[in-house]
Structures are given as C-alpha cells and as structure tokens.
Amino acid sequence: MVDYGIKLWSNDDFIIDDGVVKVNYKVKPALIDIVREAREKGYKGPLLLRFPHLIENQITKIYEAFHAAIREYQYQGCFKAVFPLKVNQMPNFVLPLVELSNDKCYGLEAGSKSELIVAMAYTNKGSPITVNGFKDKEMISLGFIAANMGHDITLTIEGLNELKTIIEIASEMAEPYPNIGLRIRLHSVGTGIWAKSGGITSKFGLTSTELLEAMKILEHSKLLHKFTMIHFHIGSQISDISPLKKAIREVGNIYAELRKMGAKNLTAVNIGGGLAVEYAQHESMNCKNYTLAEFSGDVVFSLKEIAKNKNELEPDIFIESGRFISASHAVLVAPVLELFSQEYEESALKLKEDSNPPLVEELNDLYNSITEKNAIEYLHDSLDHMESLLTLFDLGYIDLQDRSNTEVLVHLIIKKVIKLLKYKNHNEILKIQKSVQERYLLNCSFFQSLPDYWGLEQNFPVMPLDRLNRRPTRAASLWDITCDSDGEISFNPQMPLFLHDVDVSKEEYFLGFFLVGAYQEVLGMRHNLFTHPTEFSIIFDDELNKGYEIANLLEAQTIVDVLDDLDYDTKEIERILKQHIEDSDLDVETKKAVLGKLYVMLSENGYLRTISPQGVI
C-alpha cells in the first residue's frame, strides 16, 4: 500500500483504511462515499469539501499549546488570537469559525473596509478585532464606529499619516475610541518565498525613528493611553524557527523600551502570522523544522526573559496565524476525465503482415519475450529502437503507421516493465518515468482552485481517494481543463506522484487535493471563466443515521451567473443567441430543440460533463 505521505501532512486528520481515504473523526466516513453521495444528488464536476470540525481542532491546538507554555514558564500575560480574513473570507468558513471559537478569546483581523465590516458583524463580543494594512479616513472611522459598538478593536498603524488621521477623527467623535497599535519594521526576516514580509525594506511598519516620532505625536495629542499593542510579521509559512526567535528578541526589547518611555498601557505584543503548515508528501521535502509546542514555548520563554531582564510587565501575546487554522479544513476533489496514453493499448497496434521495418519487428519481439530478469535490458533496447525509428521517419524511410506502431510498442514495453518490477526500487525506472509519464486530465481549474501552485509553485498533497490497497504504477502529471499550458502539475522525479492505471470509460477515479483551505479560494481566478467548484460542509452528529450529513451546499455558478458578474448583459446575450437560431435554416422543431439545449447549458456551470457508464462526471 502506498500512503502518499499521509502521515507527514495530515496530522491524523485523514487516514487510509481498507484501501480508501477516511476522515479520522467519529464514524470515520470514507471520502469516496461522501463524494458519491454528493454526485448521486446531481452535483458533478469538481467538489470542495469542508470539514468544520478541523477548524475547531486547529483553534484548540493553538490555544492548548500556548496555555501549556504559559503554565510551564509561569508567564503572567494572556494569550489571544485573531483570524486574518484575507486567508479565507468565504462565509461557509468564517461563520463556523466564529461559532466554534465562541468559548475562546478568538477574534478576526481585517485588512480592508469590506473585511472590517465582516469583522464588526460577526466577531464574538469580548473577542478582539485587529485592523492591519493601509487605511484612509473612512476606514479609520469604521474602527471608531466598531469601538462605539462595544468591540475590543485595535487599529494597527502602518505609517505616521494614519496616526494623524486617528487624532483628527478622535477630535470629531465621542469616546470610546479604538485602541492603537504600532506595526514595527524589524530587521529580522523570515524564510522562503514570503520572507519579504519582514525586514527593514518590507512594505509595512514603522522604523525606529518613526516609532519615536509616533510616541511624541501620541503624547502631544493625549492619546498615549490608547497605545496598547505593537505588531510585527516576518512572513507567511515560516519554515525555520530561528528567524522567529530572533524577531521575538528584537520586538521584545522594543516593547520594553517603549514602556520605559511612558507607554504604560502598552501591554500586548502581536507576533503576526507565519506558523507553518506541513505540505510535504516526501520525507526530504519538509516545510518546517519545528513543532507547535516548540513554537509556542519559544515565544513565551523569550518574552518572559526580556521582560524579566528589563524589569517590565510580561505582555499579552497575540497571534494571527490564519494558514494554520484554515488550511486543513478543505479538500478539493477532482474527477479524472481521461488518461492521455490509453490509446497505447494492444488494440492500437496495427502491425503489417509482411512489411514491418526490422526495428519494429524487434520491438514486438522484445514486448512478447520480456521477463523480470531481462526487463531493464529490454527497456533500454526499446528506447534506443524508438529513437532510431523516429529518425527514420523524419528522413522519410518509414511511414506513419510504422511510427504509430513504434510508439505503441514502446509504451506497452514500459508498462510491462513497471508491472514486472513494481515491488522493486529501480533507479532506472524512475529516470525514465518523466519521459513516459501518464497525463491525467482532471475536471477542474488549477487557476481557480490551486492558484498558489500556478503562481508560487506551492505543492499540495494529492492522492487518489480509493484503490490504496493497490500499488500505483503510472508516473503521473496532472492536467486541468483550461486552455493554458500552465494548467499542469508536471511529474517531478524529486517529488514523484504515482497513480493507478485505470480505464475511466469503465470506472470512476477521483483525486483529492488536501490542505487547500488557506488563500486558494480567495485568490482563485476565473481563467477561461471557470468558477468556484460546488462546495459543501460535512457536519458530524451522533444522532444522525450515518453519523454525519452534507450541509451548507453552495453550487458552482452557472454560465449565465459568471457572465453577469463580469457585467455582460446576459439578457442581450440570450436574445442574440435566440435570434441567430431563429435566422438559421433549421426547421421549426429543430429550432425549438436547439434552443432548449442552449438554455439548459446556460443554466449549468462551465465544468465538463462527460458521460461515462457511471453517469455524468
């Protein structure tokens, strides 16, 4: 059985049992059964499965880890957290998040006016709201309104002009005022492709000189008592703990210095986001070198030591790690529509009766006489013969049928070698897999559902939902249905993906992409006008017959809806199309039938609806 690295990345949220992927919770349903149930209800194409219990699970983990560190080091400050809405603003994520965290001091972070409105509407009373990013007068005014509503809100200042705007609005509006935070531009930086979030050249934050000026402005305007938090962020997906420890030391000393300068209500340090998620499916490709316990312990211990050495109050600790909270809760499931080398079957071989080129005859002999003992030798011979025969074709010495037979025979030989040696680790096989990879066409759009793969080469765990008690033998590259060559996840010998050799005209085959709950939905683009997949949540309840139910269904947008969102006049489009049919030379009954089919298609989503013996995929 191949486990696709599930023990590396899943944290036991998903397991393999009886050859299928199962949710490791309560009744432990198989993902393939959930998918088939949804498809029986008529929901085809790609599906996005949400698991709210995994949201609660991640929130609990992070609170338990920090509370354990606070107890261990007898830390005097509190721990609080907010979820940054930019990571996932979808209502079927945010609303369960708020509900499942109502027993904790867990709030929301906003980076725009729209996000702030969401935070003001849904944050549990008593839980914090933080506001980051660049702000104009209107956005800052919203923060004052939130404070008037009773929210515990902190406006984090990214530049001195924002501070001046706060002072201006404070002169216009009555108390209560929002708290004020200052974002620090540290010298410390993170690691990886998001490291530019930190460092002295980063986009956000105040330099030391600007910090001193901010203190003067606050004191002069009699708002120093509202300065309660300092904030930093050294990057998303921090893979190494060392940069974080360095940043904590730097910000801890800044915190102590600001308090000594008179900021006595400064009681909180916000360490931003960055807590990494393990996406790796292969041992040598780990995304982080620390545990959650080490992360929380280092933060608490470092701040305690600095406060002790500086004889200052131990600050409350805020964290904004959104990826850690949201990534695991969503799984993208995509049906496989086609295997592109399946034309290379014995039935495709059309050998001539008496005029095959000698090298083609030799390839046929290799195919029929290959054994485990001579498999590697015959494999090399077949690849050499193919190169020679393709050269002969270019020179005009063999015809197209001979070329076809060459390609079919070589692929048949390769498949036979892989089957004969499937339980052995031959480096030779791995070397050739890239050139003979099977191309699996998936009914999804990587640009829409996995934009970080396309834009940042971020890998996501991927595996079949079933057949996991059978060894996969096909080196796989994955193609989406967009008409863009970048819509491909190529076979990588350093991180090889092997899938099963299936006949999708006779049996269904589904791939699951895991840990897609952070950023992918909100960054997804409508390349080729493909829309968000149909989504639903899996709610577990012991009182239900099956122990769970499919809920919060949100169907993929129809073609008409997508065009309407782009400000096309869909009524005009329908009128023009109808007129074209009316003006055609078709008879009356055919016109009616064509028009009916057209309206049906306009009312469906744009994903493919290929008919197989099992139904529409």
Side-chain angles (χ1 to χ4, degrees), residues 198-359:
I200 200 64
T201 60
S202 62
K203 180 178 179 181
F204 297 108
L206 304 178
T207 64
S208 297
T209 302
E210 289 171 323
L211 273 177
L212 296 174
E213 179 64 20
M215 285 288 290
K216 291 180 182 178
I217 293 172
L218 286 167
E219 190 171 13
H220 183 264
S221 63
K222 295 182 171 49
L223 285 176
L224 187 58
H225 67 288
K226 300 304 297 182
F227 174 34
T228 61
M229 178 187 291
I230 57 173
H231 172 273
F232 74 92
H233 179 66
I234 61 171
S236 180
Q237 189 69 356
I238 301 171
S239 59
D240 187 3
I241 196 69
S242 297
L244 176 69
K245 293 166 73 171
K246 184 176 184 296
I248 291 291
R249 289 193 295 270
E250 186 178 350
V251 80
N253 280 290
I254 292 173
Y255 160 81
E257 289 294 319
L258 289 172
R259 280 186 56 84
K260 290 183 184 301
M261 292 174 59
K264 295 305 180 184
N265 283 355
L266 172 58
T267 57
V269 171
N270 187 334
I271 68 173
L275 181 54
V277 169
E278 184 58 80
Y279 292 96
Q281 288 187 268
H282 301 83
E283 290 278 2
S284 60
M285 299 292 176
N286 294 73
C287 298
K288 62 177 183 177
N289 73 344
Y290 56 87
T291 63
L292 178 56
E294 182 181 0
F295 181 96
S296 56
D298 282 344
V299 170
V300 171
F301 177 79
S302 297
L303 288 176
K304 182 178 181 67
E305 286 297 294
I306 292 170
K308 178 182 177 181
N309 293 337
K310 296 282 188 176
N311 195 29
E312 284 293 347
L313 183 75
E314 294 172 10
D316 293 341
I317 299 170
F318 277 70
I319 192 170
E320 297 180 351
S321 289
R323 183 188 299 271
F324 180 84
I325 298 298
S326 62
S328 62
H329 94 283
V331 180
L332 174 70
V333 176
V336 175
L337 296 174
E338 187 174 349
L339 277 66
F340 273 88
S341 71
Q342 280 196 332
E343 65 270 24
Y344 298 126
E345 303 291 341
E346 283 196 13
S347 59
L349 191 61
K350 308 295 181 185
L351 292 173
K352 301 171 184 175
E353 290 188 9
D354 54 6
S355 59
N356 295 301
L359 285 177

Side-chain angles (χ1 to χ4, degrees), residues 590-607:
T590 303
K591 287 179 180 179
K592 289 181 180 179
V594 170
L595 187 60
K597 288 181 179 179
L598 178 62
Y599 280 129
V600 169
M601 293 177 188
L602 290 173
S603 66
E604 295 175 343
N605 67 61
Y607 289 103

